[in-house]
Amino acid sequence: MDGIELAARFSYITNSLRFCGPEEASYQFVEYIKTKKNPEKIKESLKRFEGLYPYLSAIAEKHNKNFCDYDVVEAYWIGNELLEAFKDDDLIIIIGKLMQRGLPKSIGNELIKNLPNGFVPHHNFNVFYVGVGRTTGSVQTSLQNMDNCRTSWGKVVEVINKHLIVETQQLEKENGKYFLREANKTAVYLKEMLPEISKGNIVALHWGFAPLIIQNCQLDNLKKYTKLVLDVLNKSNSSKHDKI
């Protein structure tokens, strides 16, 4: 699998739901996964995803790579060592780019002003701190949508036609802090993406959709960077509460 396909897999569901990107992208993505044809067309469509491209381009520029290199795309959606090079000033630049692509300036400036130390440009930073739906305005920024949008993981316990029953987690918030609680959920998938899905596989999850089976090292990284983002956010929220 190349980076274009990895980006297409994760971006497919939000485009299908008409949350972001050009209308025709989801069809292009499935065709690319099947044929690997017209990669430049797919790259151009990915650039038009309002919240995605500022992150991929920032990770690529930091490491002198292409925004569709596999490790660049993996860093954003799942997490890997490329994220470790980022400092707070880099996150401020990304937020500035998001403001150029739809994030309201009033929100973006407030995010920059209050940015805690220690975040990295992972998808879950965008979900939890920038705020799901804030760049495009396509969905409400709510706890349920944060849970839906974050990159999560689940173990397949049953395959029923085009649905998967997965052991996963539910995002909860209590006393100003976010945490993950074990839960079973139903996810959908496409045969074109997961032709040999079976019980016991670990899948990534995005908006109730399973775009790919992940390996143990990817699972470890996804857990690591999800925890990092939540820890920074919760520490910041605790500090704000202490000042009140």
Side-chain angles (χ1 to χ4, degrees):
M1 185 186 306
D2 60 24
I4 298 174
E5 179 178 342
L6 185 63
R9 284 171 174 262
F10 274 102
S11 300
Y12 166 83
I13 187 61
T14 49
N15 187 256
S16 295
L17 295 170
R18 298 292 178 260
F19 291 164
C20 52
E23 185 173 339
E24 69 278 6
S26 59
Y27 305 103
Q28 295 174 345
F29 293 163
V30 173
E31 189 65 20
Y32 182 80
I33 290 167
K34 292 192 293 186
T35 68
K36 293 296 189 294
K37 293 181 179 178
N38 301 314
E40 292 305 316
K41 181 188 291 185
I42 306 303
K43 290 171 75 170
E44 288 304 311
S45 288
L46 288 168
K47 286 181 179 180
R48 293 170 61 190
F49 278 70
E50 296 84 351
L52 175 65
Y53 186 64
Y55 288 96
L56 295 185
S57 60
I59 297 169
E61 289 167 12
K62 192 76 170 176
H63 297 280
N64 296 313
K65 292 176 175 286
N66 185 280
F67 82 97
C68 272
D69 284 350
Y70 184 90
D71 54 354
V72 170
V73 178
E74 182 187 60
Y76 175 68
W77 285 110
I78 296 172
N80 62 35
E81 68 279 358
L82 296 186
L83 299 180
E84 300 296 332
F86 281 81
K87 306 298 182 184
D88 297 336
D89 286 347
D90 299 315
L91 275 296
I92 290 173
I93 292 172
I94 292 173
I95 294 172
K97 290 181 178 179
L98 292 172
M99 285 193 282
Q100 295 172 11
R101 294 172 71 94
L103 180 68
K105 287 183 170 54
S106 59
I107 293 175
N109 289 331
E110 194 69 17
L111 291 172
I112 290 171
K113 177 183 176 182
N114 296 313
L115 183 71
N117 296 327
F119 276 132
V120 293
H122 188 274
H123 176 66
N124 290 346
F125 161 78
N126 188 70
V127 172
F128 295 142
Y129 185 71
V130 176
V132 56
R134 281 181 166 172
T135 299
T136 62
S138 58
V139 297
Q140 181 183 4
T141 306
S142 66
L143 184 66
Q144 182 62 56
N145 285 337
M146 290 167 68
D147 191 42
N148 289 334
C149 188
R150 69 187 177 92
T151 310
S152 59
W153 62 91
K155 181 178 180 180
V156 177
V157 295
E158 194 170 357
V159 181
I160 307 172
N161 297 322
K162 294 183 178 181
H163 294 81
L164 308 173
I165 307 300
V166 293
E167 292 177 347
T168 182
Q169 327 82 34
Q170 180 80 25
L171 180 69
E172 304 282 358
K173 186 177 184 181
E174 187 174 312
N175 298 324
K177 291 191 175 184
Y178 295 94
F179 64 94
L180 300 176
R181 176 177 57 81
E182 295 301 312
N184 280 11
K185 296 181 181 179
T186 301
V188 296
Y189 74 101
L190 291 181
K191 290 284 188 180
E192 293 90 340
M193 295 189 191
L194 303 178
E196 299 179 356
I197 189 72
S198 63
K199 183 177 179 180
N201 289 153
I202 306 297
V203 293
L205 298 168
H206 186 217
W207 283 101
F209 180 75
L212 80 159
I213 297 169
I214 58 175
Q215 306 305 311
N216 288 337
C217 59
Q218 292 176 313
L219 175 62
D220 290 344
N221 277 332
L222 182 51
K223 289 180 176 180
K224 172 184 175 179
Y225 290 105
T226 298
K227 182 178 186 299
L228 182 153
V229 171
L230 287 175
D231 285 350
V232 172
L233 186 62
N234 286 334
K235 182 179 179 181
S236 173
N237 288 345
S238 294
S239 297
K240 290 177 185 176
H241 183 267
D242 291 343
K243 291 177 181 178
I244 297 175

